[in-house]
Amino acid sequence: MSGKIQAIRGMHDILPDQAHVWRHVENKVIAVINSYNYREIRIPVVEKTELFARSIGEHSDIVAKEMYTFADRNNESLTLRPEGTAGCVRAGLEHGLLHNQIQKLWYIGPMFRHERPQKGRQRQFHQIGLEAFGLPGPDIDAELIMLCTRIWQTLKLGKITLQLNTLGTATARHHYKELLIEYFSDHKKQLDKDSQNRLLNNPLRILDSKNPDMQKIISAAPSIHDHLDAESLEHFADLRSILDAAAIAYTINPYLVRGLDYYGKTVFEWTTDLLGAQGTVCAGGRYDGLVEHFGGKPSPAIGCAMGLERLIELVQLDNTLDDTAGTPQVYLIMADEAIQTGLKLAEDLRNAVPGLRLMSNNGGGSFKSQFKKADKSGALLAIILGQEELINQAVGVKSLRDGTEQTSIPIVKLAEFVKQQLA
């Protein structure tokens, strides 16, 4: 069998000219997360299928239609993780992190859903997730939203809006679902196929339908805000009060329900109109019953996840990225007889100038060809080490960007000179 092997549909390589953009965004986001004292956890890419069926819901679109599930050699059903919360909870329970403890955790990595690939939606996508355990009050809900706000500010992103809702306690939600089933059953002929399938198993998801032909019937459905319990009303009012005091703008969206069964009380989404149909940048909410559902002691919890692909696209749209991040600052040109000294000099420079991006010429070649490589690399300075420089214990230094003449610098003064030039 011949021919090129290509990447799987919906799973893309991140090439060097884009990888540095990813690293730039990841580092900035992680720095903000660390400033709120969240700690990193690394969870497996593969979990038992039961984990997601029990947490997300057997009748959810993710479990029913989108998961990558397979039997291993022991005939155990395994799944590539479609989201991170379930695995984080499983890890917390398995390693004793959650009982009578406050934990603030974050993770980063690929997720997998077998969807129709389109702009902003791939089958392998990447998320940064945050999960906070052991805190029942609205203050942690507000702080998590503030953390997200700081990330958008750090990345200099505009036109991201916050949508907010509450789904009430499990008891209130159960009663509301019964009302929805009754209402939508009376209008069953007006429901599309997906909504008819959701009617008995997941009626809340009908409210989230994007079908324009159903918006009139959805807008006339009973509102969850008319059927909330006192506890949920107080929690939601306190959350809004904290956000108002912090001048964080939001829109209350009574049809925001999220696609996962484990959510209750606070749910939220950050959206933008700059990315077309795939406008959700970050989403999350409370899942106070999930730890107990997995066999642990009751523990309140809240979390969210942000899509890295969409964040990176927004960063690039807003031209907020330093494009020099992936290019060397200094290029070292060496004669063949100077390679040993030159590579040692390069190491000394990296030690003396923290963070220096220095590219050594590898593979030999004439000075003319090496200068061409140096110029093509995008470096600001070329350091030249030839036979004459070896004898004189000096190097030639030439700016590659402003046309100034080459100058000679003693090797012992080179590190200080480079610092000054790059300052």
Side-chain angles (χ1 to χ4, degrees), residues 67-325:
M67 293 202 312
Y68 281 89
T69 297
F70 57 94
D72 70 359
R73 294 186 179 183
N74 296 322
N75 207 32
E76 184 172 24
S77 183
L78 304 179
T79 295
L80 293 177
R81 63 185 183 197
E83 58 93 42
T85 298
C88 190
V89 172
R90 190 268 314 146
L93 283 172
E94 185 172 338
H95 300 286
L97 301 180
L98 303 184
H99 182 48
N100 287 334
Q101 298 178 66
I102 293 173
Q103 294 286 356
K104 294 182 177 182
L105 306 173
W106 71 272
Y107 49 85
I108 185 172
M111 310 292 167
F112 303 85
R113 296 184 192 178
H114 194 280
E115 302 180 286
R116 183 172 64 85
Q118 53 187 291
K119 183 177 174 61
R121 186 183 290 272
Q122 300 299 328
R123 291 177 175 176
Q124 176 177 303
F125 56 100
H126 300 78
Q127 289 185 339
I128 294 181
L130 300 115
E131 317 288 352
F133 299 93
L135 297 161
D139 53 343
I140 186 61
D141 304 22
E143 186 183 77
L144 187 59
I145 289 171
M146 291 173 181
L147 188 160
C148 293
T149 303
R150 187 172 295 276
I151 288 174
W152 316 148
Q153 292 169 344
T154 299
L155 294 176
K156 300 178 182 177
L157 302 181
K159 293 190 176 181
I160 297 181
T161 56
L162 173 62
Q163 296 186 43
L164 196 63
N165 195 23
T166 178
L167 300 179
T169 61
T171 302
R173 203 159 55 255
H174 177 74
H175 174 62
Y176 180 58
K177 284 181 178 179
E178 291 179 339
L179 292 175
L180 285 181
I181 291 172
E182 181 180 351
Y183 170 77
F184 284 122
S185 294
D186 290 341
H187 300 82
K188 191 171 183 179
K189 291 182 179 179
Q190 297 170 256
L191 302 180
D192 59 23
K193 185 177 179 181
D194 281 344
S195 296
Q196 288 181 6
N197 291 336
R198 291 165 175 164
L199 180 56
L200 296 180
N201 297 317
N202 200 353
L204 281 172
R205 290 288 288 133
I206 299 176
L207 299 176
D208 200 32
S209 172
K210 302 300 187 289
N211 186 340
D213 296 332
M214 287 183 47
Q215 296 313 303
K216 186 175 180 180
I217 187 176
I218 289 173
S219 63
S223 171
I224 192 168
H225 289 232
D226 295 330
H227 302 279
L228 289 172
D229 53 286
E231 177 188 341
S232 299
L233 285 169
E234 182 180 1
H235 186 103
F236 196 51
D238 289 346
L239 169 60
R240 297 199 315 272
S241 178
I242 298 170
L243 296 179
D244 291 341
I248 294 177
Y250 58 87
T251 300
I252 296 176
N253 179 0
Y255 305 113
L256 176 61
V257 296
R258 305 294 300 124
L260 310 179
D261 280 2
Y262 51 65
Y263 284 116
K265 288 188 179 177
T266 304
V267 289
F268 59 90
E269 283 188 4
W270 294 90
T271 61
T272 180
D273 59 5
L274 298 177
L275 300 179
Q278 306 304 325
T280 300
V281 177
C282 174
R286 277 205 161 268
Y287 51 95
D288 291 342
L290 188 57
V291 174
E292 186 177 10
H293 183 65
F294 279 168
K297 300 292 183 182
S299 176
I302 186 171
C304 70
M306 55 198 71
L308 274 169
E309 282 85 352
R310 295 178 191 176
L311 272 186
I312 287 163
E313 189 172 352
L314 285 173
V315 166
Q316 293 178 310
L317 281 175
D318 283 6
N319 297 314
T320 57
L321 181 68
D322 176 9
D323 287 334
T324 65

Side-chain angles (χ1 to χ4, degrees), residues 332 341-351 356 358 360:
L332 177 58
T341 301
L343 292 179
K344 172 64 167 59
L345 175 63
E347 292 303 301
D348 291 342
L349 270 178
R350 292 185 182 105
N351 290 337
L356 175 66
L358 185 153
S360 298

